[in-house]
Amino acid sequence: MAGTDVTYGVDVAWGDSVEGLFRIGVSTIGGTDTIGGWPADGAFESVVADVVAFSVIRGRSDDLGQLMAGTAEVVLRDQSGTYNPVNTGSALSPNVKPMRPIRVQATYDGTTYGLFYGFILSIESRANPNHPITTFSCADLFSWLAMRYPTISATGSTTTGAAIKAVLDEISWPTSLQSLDTGDTIPDFSADGTVSSLQLIHNLMDAEMGTFYVDGSGIATFDERFSRWATAASSSTITGADNTLMGWDSTNSVDTIFNATTVTRTGGSAQSDSDSDSISTFGRRDMAALETAYLATDAEALSRARLRVKQYKDPKTPAVATLRSASSTTADMLARELNQRVTITETFGGTAAKQYWIEQINHMSDVADQNQHQTRWLLSEVPSTGPFIIGVSAIGEAWIGA
């Protein structure tokens, strides 16, 4: 089905289990686990012919919070009850059930882009003779991680990336769907079955100050804290006068300012930092204190406290850009991912070539009506100065440390 020049793919892997795969070091010879690839490998079946509309949202509400589960809602025309879980006469019976892998893709100008990859969490059927529809409510890997409470033996000294990999390997998330930076060296990592997989990763991110998310193709991605600064170039440049920028909203608020904080390594002494100029201008605004087992020394804790203050001591202007598919925008709308840098010029309000990071992505399309694809980006402002990175920063243009 098409929306302007965009064609869509919506596919479900109906017949496979997400559990029961043989895992070296976990499964036993002669046990019930079977040898094979990821459940959805080669098993996806298209349902796009019945899709009426879909929406996808991935990311977080601002650059302060942890990234949340990506979600999708897919509405299907269901004249014959094909997608009704209680219809035993359906050609898909008895496989219409939750936790089936699902993916949403868009193809434009010969390139296919992943918009969402996750699992059907619920299936709602409305057997209205005049308007029979079934709705799939879906979520990505985060929803699975939130329900798992793993036991992982102590690793000894390791890295943030290796610790995340241990969590993902525990649920047999495919290596092909992992892209993990190395990150910091941490003293140890383990799990005793009392903390969810998702919370374990969130705890690692609190210490690292990096980001963990699932991209539109299902790749579990860890970006270490300075990853966004690795290039000064924008992935896309959008100009309101030339492109179809449907909406542009920005806010400058004291809520983005934190100019004092404390970080403590487990077993260490509290390390605090503050910025007197910011406090004089905006008043003292404390960021929530952090205690973590993933820092080895008090010096590391102090470095992290200083970094928190550096990043949040000044006001920022987060924004929301809403774009409509057109020849000048469609490829950018579909290709951009979380954490990427974009440049926006919005001539009416006076926003001139300002750089932002993408914190949240929302895709929407009324597929059946062939309406234009819409994308909404929630953006955080790129600060004027950042960490000094060899090969990227110029002398005097960045701060050193942390």
Side-chain angles (χ1 to χ4, degrees):
M1 304 295 291
T4 316
D5 296 319
V6 181
T7 58
Y8 297 106
V10 181
D11 310 298
V12 180
W14 294 112
D16 292 299
S17 171
V18 295
E19 296 279 5
L21 296 181
F22 189 92
R23 292 174 289 161
I24 296 174
V26 176
S27 304
T28 58
I29 301 299
T32 59
D33 291 348
T34 59
I35 297 175
W38 175 239
D41 289 349
F44 277 113
E45 300 176 31
S46 177
V47 300
V48 74
D50 296 320
V51 173
V52 176
F54 72 82
S55 63
V56 169
I57 185 166
R58 298 185 290 108
R60 57 184 174 178
S61 59
D62 55 50
D63 63 343
L64 286 166
Q66 295 285 3
L67 281 95
M68 308 301 291
T71 60
E73 183 174 276
V74 180
V75 180
L76 304 101
R77 185 187 304 104
D78 198 8
Q79 191 71 45
S80 60
T82 300
Y83 307 107
N84 187 342
V86 300
N87 181 11
T88 58
S90 167
L92 297 174
S93 180
N95 294 320
V96 182
K97 60 185 71 173
M99 287 307 291
R100 300 307 88 195
I102 183 171
R103 67 185 180 194
V104 179
Q105 298 174 313
T107 299
Y108 175 75
D109 197 24
T111 300
T112 297
Y113 304 93
L115 304 184
F116 177 81
Y117 186 113
F119 305 90
I120 299 172
L121 296 189
S122 69
I123 303 169
E124 179 185 356
S125 294
R126 295 185 179 179
N128 183 332
N130 298 318
H131 188 53
I133 62 170
T134 292
T135 301
F136 297 157
S137 296
C138 315
D140 64 19
L141 171 65
F142 275 47
S143 64
W144 195 0
L145 292 172
M147 297 304 294
R148 289 291 282 252
Y149 288 74
T151 299
I152 300 173
S153 299
T155 62
S157 180
T158 186
T159 64
T160 302
I164 294 172
K165 181 171 177 55
V167 174
L168 298 177
D169 287 349
E170 194 277 334
I171 62 166
S172 298
W173 194 249
T175 302
S176 62
L177 294 179
Q178 299 180 27
S179 177
L180 308 176
D181 284 350
T182 300
D184 288 334
T185 298
I186 61 177
D188 192 14
F189 179 76
S190 63
D192 63 4
T194 65
V195 179
S196 74
S197 298
L198 185 59
Q199 189 59 53
L200 287 168
I201 293 174
H202 280 342
N203 293 345
L204 288 162
M205 292 303 95
D206 284 341
E208 171 80 33
M209 293 180 65
T211 52
F212 177 78
Y213 59 94
V214 178
D215 77 4
S217 297
I219 298 175
T221 304
F222 160 52
D223 292 338
E224 56 88 16
R225 63 180 168 278
F226 293 148
S227 176
R228 334 175 119 175
W229 296 93
T231 175
S234 286
S235 299
S236 294
T237 298
I238 304 294
T239 303
D242 301 326
N243 297 283
T244 310
L245 186 61
M246 291 179 60
W248 177 254
D249 303 295
S250 61
T251 305
N252 191 278
S253 171
V254 71
D255 290 343
T256 66
I257 301 171
F258 294 92
N259 47 36
T261 192
T262 297
V263 177
T264 307
R265 69 176 179 92
T266 301
S269 301
Q271 303 295 312
S272 299
D273 190 57
S274 61
D275 186 274
S276 58
D277 290 341
S278 177
I279 291 172
S280 176
T281 304
F282 306 108
R284 185 181 177 101
R285 298 183 58 82
D286 289 289
M287 179 179 283
L290 171 66
E291 180 176 342
T292 176
Y294 301 128
L295 297 174
T297 66
D298 288 346
E300 288 182 16
L302 178 59
S303 176
R304 205 66 83 249
R306 289 172 174 169
L307 178 57
R308 288 174 129 204
V309 171
K310 281 183 183 293
Q311 288 193 346
Y312 299 110
K313 65 184 177 65
D314 298 314
K316 300 177 185 177
T317 308
V320 177
T322 304
L323 302 99
R324 181 177 61 199
S325 58
S327 60
S328 55
T329 56
T330 302
D332 290 306
M333 291 164 57
L334 300 175
R336 295 288 65 81
E337 217 5 292
L338 298 172
N339 256 9
Q340 290 183 345
R341 186 186 299 222
V342 295
T343 298
I344 304 288
T345 293
E346 197 288 302
T347 53
F348 179 79
T351 300
K354 199 165 189 62
Q355 290 195 340
Y356 296 87
W357 283 307
I358 299 175
E359 304 292 349
Q360 186 183 95
I361 297 172
N362 184 197
H363 293 290
M364 298 160 283
S365 181
D366 291 327
V367 180
D369 294 334
Q370 298 189 357
N371 286 346
Q372 289 177 307
H373 189 97
Q374 291 186 26
T375 297
R376 188 185 75 138
W377 293 333
L378 196 157
L379 305 165
S380 65
E381 184 181 358
V382 176
S384 58
T385 60
F388 187 87
I389 298 177
I390 295 174
V392 177
S393 306
I395 299 298
E397 287 186 348
W399 38 263
I400 299 174

